[in-house]
Amino acid sequence: MKNTIKQLFHSSKFVIGFVIFVAILLTIIIYPLVSPGNPLEMVGVGTFARPGTYVSLYDAVTTEKDTFKFSDADEKRLANAISDSDREAMLALFDAAAMDYSSIDVNDSNALIEFWDANYQTAMDTAKLKKSQKRDLRLLDSRIQALKAGETFKVVEEVDGETVEISTITKTDYVNTNKVINVRNLPLGTDNFGRDTLRELIAAAGVSLRIGLIAGIIATFVGLLLGLLAGYLGGVVDNIITFFTNVLSVIPSIVLLILINYSISQELRGPTLCALIIGATSWTWTTRSVRSQVISLRNRDHVNLSKLSGHSLMRIILTDILPYIASYVVMAFILQVSSGILAEAQLSMLGLGPKTTTTPTLGLMMNWATLYSAHTTGRWWAYFPVILTITFITFSLNFMNTGMDQVFNPALRD
Amino acid sequence: MSERKDYTNGPLCLSGRNLTRVFGTGAKQNVAVDHVNFDFHEGEFVSIVGESGSGKTTLSKMLLGLLNISEGEILYQGKPRDISNRKKLNEYWKGIQPIFQDPFSSYNIFHKIDAVLLDCIAMRGGKHLPYEKKVEMMTEACSFVNLKFAELTNKYPFELSGGQMQRLMIARIFLLKPKILLADEPTSMVDACSRATILDMLLNLRDETGMTIIFITHDIGLAYYISDTIYIMEHGKFVESGKADEVILNPQAAYTKRLISDVPKIHEEWDLSTVEMNNTL
Ligand SMILES: Nc1ncnc2c1ncn2[C@@H]1O[C@H](COP(=O)(O)OP(=O)(O)OP(=O)(O)O)[C@@H](O)[C@H]1O
Ligand SMILES: [Mg+2]
């Protein structure tokens, strides 16, 4: 036993799967401790805030200021200040004045502004423009000039109908984000409800893993029990169990899941109930494979000797059959867990998963992202990390399984 | 061997009446054991000889109560065998124990050798003996088959050679001392020298305890060497049976004659012509 575990850790596949799985598990456990909070709290007003660090503007204004004169700060500001439509308007003016601006790169905002400063007045004079167009251009120019000049903002407060100036913000004012009281990291932005996607994802991974575990335990337990009984006892018991197993496995389990979940109202469907249902519909293949393994074992002479020693049925199953299939059962369990997680995702995508707004699951997150067309509007953070998480969990479980297969099944050893 | 007691007339121990076992149905039907009749007596050393696939193991599994009988019946101590419930079956199994043909599948690979032997002591009612006494018994049983218990203790069966496994199975019988031993090629993996020693020990065991030994083999020479009675089996049928001397020295069935002629005779010269022929190939 000890040896087998040692061997497992010599299998690179098992180790890779194990490390990924443990990393996921630790994240699920540790993240809520480090960063407590309700994963379902709608922190954002509005949907799909982009991933990033959010600094409270309110707090920043009153935070102690530092002055910096970074040489490229203005350039950056200007570059960002000119929108595409501004650019078009500027170029339209030069065209109207028949000016040749081929010497500059029109996408380089700084060069464009320099050219604008040099030629604005002459262009306005020569070009034939409508009054409204001229007015728009004058506004644009004053905006550009203001940016260059170093416009300042005044922060005022109304006290008894009088406006009192609190502070002035100039271009060289900076605040250290560490000093701002409210800075929030949203590495994965928010979802359609304005919930912190990362926190929700980690909580959902935990719930989905629990669903997988419960479903896996039920499926493995039922499958093992029925498989052992059918395989070892044979006869009528075997016929009955095999009949039920065959009937159930003919119907695709997803169809069965859909029918069962459809018949239970949303309000009642919690993650645990979903896990129970998934487990109760997926034991058939464990039963079938355990049964066939037990049949080949029960005719082994060590089982015969055990019978001849007067051992009870229970003892023979527990000591002479179970140890031989234990490694196989562990492998089947791991596969059941991963297919349980996938089954939940499938069900939730169809809107038949656990009740929506009370618990997050990976499937529900996918479902909401789809309903709010996150995939067509480029809100990748709402669905891509979820897909990645599902992939990593099932991938790590399957990798562990393959590694075990290599250790337990000498025929596959290289 | 000369002063052997005659065991062939003792009280009836195990008998078969039209005993038949059929595997499969229809076109695939295979009659593995075909209406065989026999009477084994207490203390008798019986050999069942037949080539591979003749139905020897199938017959022994039926005698052990591990395989259902298709037709006929088995008499145990002169009366129809009753193994209709678990309790009666366990009682029957106290009297009959096997050594199976394949030693590799005879052990639970998860149990240590000690567990195998301790189980036997427990079966004989020695469960509560002090551990020193148990070790003494196990050591004795192992030395009976030329094994050293001290070297085996805390080892797993798969750490033994095939021959050692077979000998350990015989040590198990030594501890259990059943009334009937069904030994299915118990020494197939033991070297010729130890084989003779072990078989002599089995004979001694029989002499000491009056155990009936049903010895299954395809080696008719070996059967002649040790048994009182020989049954020759061909395609599920007993084609010839009788006292060892009668069967071997005066065979009636063609099959028996063939088996006897197939026994290699060491004193005969090699046929040089065939050797040369093989070399030129
Ligand atoms: N469980 C089974 N199902 C179907 N056929 C079987 C089964 N066990 C044995 N047989 C068949 O019964 C026949 C007798 O087999 P058995 O094992 O009794 O031979 P054997 O005399 O012990 O041979 P060997 O010397 O090789 O051990 C064979 O043709 C075999 O194919
Ligand atoms: Mg055989």
Side-chain angles (χ1 to χ4, degrees), chain A residues 86-340:
Chain A
D86 291 341
R87 202 182 302 270
E88 270 167 36
M90 288 160 87
L91 295 181
L93 172 66
F94 296 140
D95 283 337
M99 277 180 177
D100 176 27
Y101 50 86
S102 58
S103 60
I104 59 156
D105 176 5
V106 294
N107 289 318
D108 176 354
S109 304
N110 290 307
L112 185 61
I113 287 166
E114 216 169 281
F115 190 80
W116 172 269
D117 280 345
N119 302 300
Y120 166 71
Q121 211 50 56
T122 36
M124 284 296 266
D125 294 344
T126 51
K128 288 189 176 61
L129 294 165
K130 283 188 204 136
K131 247 197 180 146
S132 62
Q133 283 174 315
K134 282 201 171 186
R135 197 188 58 224
D136 288 347
L137 282 166
R138 251 181 245 117
L139 270 174
L140 176 60
D141 182 55
S142 65
R143 202 147 51 84
I144 292 171
Q145 297 315 321
L147 263 173
K148 283 177 62 192
E151 193 183 351
T152 54
F153 295 106
K154 286 196 166 65
V155 180
V156 294
E157 206 172 13
E158 285 214 4
V159 183
D160 300 330
E162 269 181 68
T163 49
V164 182
E165 189 180 321
I166 301 173
S167 71
T168 313
I169 302 171
T170 67
K171 290 200 316 188
T172 51
D173 288 343
Y174 286 81
V175 291
N176 186 333
T177 48
N178 291 336
K179 285 189 191 161
V180 181
I181 307 296
N182 280 303
V183 178
R184 293 303 156 98
N185 254 317
L186 294 175
L188 294 179
T190 65
D191 72 355
N192 54 294
F193 292 116
R195 308 193 277 217
D196 179 347
T197 315
L198 180 67
R199 171 165 294 151
E200 191 187 0
L201 178 67
I202 289 169
V207 177
S208 281
L209 210 56
R210 214 176 66 215
I211 292 177
L213 274 175
I214 296 175
I217 288 171
I218 292 173
T220 309
F221 182 77
V222 175
L224 180 62
L225 193 72
L226 294 181
L228 280 172
L229 287 178
Y232 189 74
L233 294 180
V236 189
V237 180
D238 186 18
N239 290 342
I240 294 172
I241 293 175
T242 308
F243 175 76
F244 273 108
T245 313
N246 285 342
V247 167
L248 267 179
S249 46
V250 167
I251 312 167
S253 65
I254 186 72
V255 174
L256 215 60
L257 279 175
I258 291 172
L259 290 176
I260 296 174
N261 275 22
Y262 193 70
S263 62
I264 299 172
S265 89
Q266 249 246 302
E267 287 305 302
L268 296 173
R269 282 200 310 256
T272 314
L273 186 65
C274 272
L276 288 174
I277 297 169
I278 292 170
T281 53
S282 57
W283 49 266
T284 48
W285 64 263
T286 306
T287 303
R288 291 214 284 190
S289 36
V290 166
R291 175 181 169 270
S292 63
Q293 298 222 348
V294 172
I295 285 176
S296 71
L297 270 172
R298 82 169 171 206
N299 289 321
R300 257 183 67 106
D301 284 336
H302 84 267
V303 177
N304 284 331
L305 267 190
S306 196
K307 275 192 208 166
L308 283 156
S309 304
H311 294 160
S312 66
L313 173 76
M314 211 42 200
R315 175 159 172 190
I316 291 175
I317 287 183
L318 287 181
T319 69
D320 295 314
I321 303 251
L322 209 52
Y324 281 81
I325 57 170
S327 57
Y328 177 80
V329 172
V330 171
M331 277 162 32
F333 169 69
I334 287 183
L335 284 185
Q336 292 278 23
V337 171
S338 99
S339 66

